Amino acid sequence: MGPRTVEKHVHKDEAWERVRRYLAQKGLRSTGQRDLIIETFLAASGHINAEELTRAVKRRNRGVGAATVYRTLRLLSDCGVAVARTFGDGEKRYEVEDHDGHHDHLICESCGTIVEFEDDEIEALQDAVAKRYGFRLSRHKHELYGLCRKCIS
Amino acid sequence: MGPRTVEKHVHKDEAWERVRRYLAQKGLRSTGQRDLIIETFLAASGHINAEELTRAVKRRNRGVGAATVYRTLRLLSDCGVAVARTFGDGEKRYEVEDHDGHHDHLICESCGTIVEFEDDEIEALQDAVAKRYGFRLSRHKHELYGLCRKCIS
DNA sequence: GAACGCGCTGAGAACGATTCTCAACAGCCA
DNA sequence: TGGCTGTTGAGAATCGTTCTCAGCGCGTTC
């Protein structure tokens, strides 16, 4: 778990760096609410939705409004720190964008657990499919739904 | 294009058969609006959203209400004739469910074209991934986003 | 083929998630 | 310290979808 933790810290710093650059470039400001929301988002285990994030933020500062959370989430999407994904049932969730190394998801339809995976062979085959149809790929989404180990038994 | 056309007719008949059985089993009725909406949905090229379908239906019968279109779309999902999918930007679209053979999508981010593809090797690798994480899969979603041949030039 | 029961329908209200509006507020530069 | 401009919270507005309800029409019964 050691290296994993270090990695996460690196990602966090990268994320803040991105935010900082974006704000500066656009002439936007850094504020208490903004920082709190971003901090909370980055600390969350990923795959959080707007309502959950709002609740988490309010737990630390009751005064923050939902609108500000939505605004910040959009800001994070715009600067490439967060990505929105809509999973199976139409639930929109945000996760920290992974800039080096793409991952996809295994989703348990019973308990809602979301596991991330990476598979280079699949990625290679995707490129082959794209080539076959004359597409130039920019991104993809690959989600496997089913039951996790715990829910099978 | 010959065989392709025949295939589509077979799928249409299968779809109607499914609807018929479902209505009978649930003690539901067949009505003019219902038939018109289903007919229009099956005739559409797939990947249609509720609003587009409503417009198409109203073109043939102005009186049909949006609520009825939504109700019928739900009915079609319930009986396994249609499946709802949410593509990249959060747009919810419906397509005719393919009962023998699964397909995935290539989506052009510029013109919106959606191409279907099948790849057995990828499917096999998916199963391997699931096994690795102790999941039992029931379904999956695989979408490749980029530019189609036309939009590259 | 008339009558009846119950499912179906359209219109508009209601809903949940998200975005917008606006007046008050707060960074940041001079 | 002002003052310019970006930011904020609250609530209104919007969007897509579902619900409600009174009236309509399918299909069965006699």
Side-chain angles (χ1 to χ4, degrees):
Chain A
M1 203 60 203
R4 181 76 61 82
T5 306
V6 171
E7 242 179 69
K8 289 255 166 156
H9 282 167
V10 170
H11 283 166
K12 248 192 188 180
D13 291 350
E14 264 180 43
W16 275 112
E17 176 60 23
R18 237 168 229 280
V19 171
R20 213 187 46 61
R21 267 208 310 276
Y22 185 80
L23 295 180
Q25 178 202 324
K26 293 268 180 183
L28 303 176
R29 292 171 187 162
S30 169
T31 71
Q33 290 93 324
R34 207 105 101 176
D35 291 352
L36 171 59
I37 296 166
I38 297 174
E39 183 54 43
T40 307
F41 172 69
L42 293 177
S45 58
H47 309 114
I48 196 172
N49 66 23
E51 195 221 332
E52 288 163 357
L53 181 56
T54 304
R55 268 210 309 277
V57 167
K58 275 181 189 287
R59 227 172 286 135
R60 300 217 238 164
N61 175 349
R62 178 166 308 277
V64 178
T68 302
V69 173
Y70 278 104
R71 280 188 283 242
T72 305
L73 238 15
R74 176 195 289 253
L75 185 155
L76 289 176
S77 301
D78 289 347
C79 69
V81 165
V83 260
R85 311 187 135 265
T86 308
F87 290 101
D89 49 346
E91 260 245 280
K92 193 171 176 184
R93 293 182 166 277
Y94 294 82
E95 66 176 32
V96 179
E97 184 156 1
D98 185 355
H99 289 280
D100 36 54
H102 179 86
H103 67 258
D104 291 295
H105 300 90
L106 270 159
I107 299 129
C108 176
E109 292 178 304
S110 168
C111 68
T113 299
I114 300 179
V115 175
E116 299 177 354
F117 73 88
E118 272 184 64
D119 191 303
D120 293 341
E121 281 188 80
I122 292 181
E123 306 266 325
L125 287 172
Q126 284 178 174
D127 290 343
V129 167
K131 199 167 185 181
R132 198 148 77 227
Y133 289 91
F135 269 65
R136 178 188 301 157
L137 295 189
S138 63
R139 63 198 177 85
H140 70 264
K141 184 151 90 172
H142 197 173
E143 288 154 18
L144 309 182
Y145 295 88
L147 295 177
C148 72
R149 205 190 306 272
K150 259 189 303 191
C151 294
I152 288 176
S153 26
Chain B
M1 202 61 202
R4 181 79 59 81
T5 308
V6 170
E7 242 179 70
K8 290 255 166 154
H9 282 166
V10 170
H11 283 167
K12 249 192 188 180
D13 291 350
E14 264 181 42
W16 276 112
E17 176 60 22
R18 234 169 232 280
V19 170
R20 213 188 44 62
R21 266 208 311 276
Y22 185 79
L23 295 180
Q25 177 202 322
K26 293 269 179 181
L28 304 177
R29 290 169 188 166
S30 168
T31 70
Q33 290 92 325
R34 208 105 100 173
D35 291 352
L36 171 59
I37 295 167
I38 298 173
E39 183 55 43
T40 308
F41 172 70
L42 293 177
S45 57
H47 310 113
I48 196 173
N49 65 24
E51 194 221 334
E52 288 163 357
L53 180 56
T54 304
R55 268 211 307 279
V57 167
K58 274 180 189 286
R59 226 173 285 135
R60 301 216 238 164
N61 176 349
R62 178 167 307 277
V64 178
T68 303
V69 173
Y70 279 104
R71 280 189 282 243
T72 306
L73 239 16
R74 175 194 288 252
L75 185 155
L76 289 175
S77 302
D78 289 347
C79 70
V81 165
V83 259
R85 311 186 136 266
T86 308
F87 289 101
D89 49 347
E91 260 244 280
K92 194 170 175 184
R93 292 181 166 278
Y94 294 82
E95 66 176 32
V96 178
E97 184 157 2
D98 186 354
H99 289 280
D100 35 54
H102 179 85
H103 67 259
D104 291 296
H105 301 90
L106 272 159
I107 299 129
C108 177
E109 292 178 304
S110 167
C111 67
T113 299
I114 299 178
V115 175
E116 300 177 352
F117 74 88
E118 273 184 63
D119 191 303
D120 293 342
E121 281 187 80
I122 293 180
E123 307 265 325
L125 286 172
Q126 285 177 173
D127 290 343
V129 167
K131 198 167 184 181
R132 199 147 76 227
Y133 289 90
F135 269 65
R136 178 188 300 157
L137 295 188
S138 63
R139 64 197 176 84
H140 69 264
K141 183 151 90 173
H142 197 175
E143 289 153 18
L144 309 182
Y145 295 88
L147 295 177
C148 72
R149 206 191 307 273
K150 260 189 302 189
C151 293
I152 288 176
S153 26

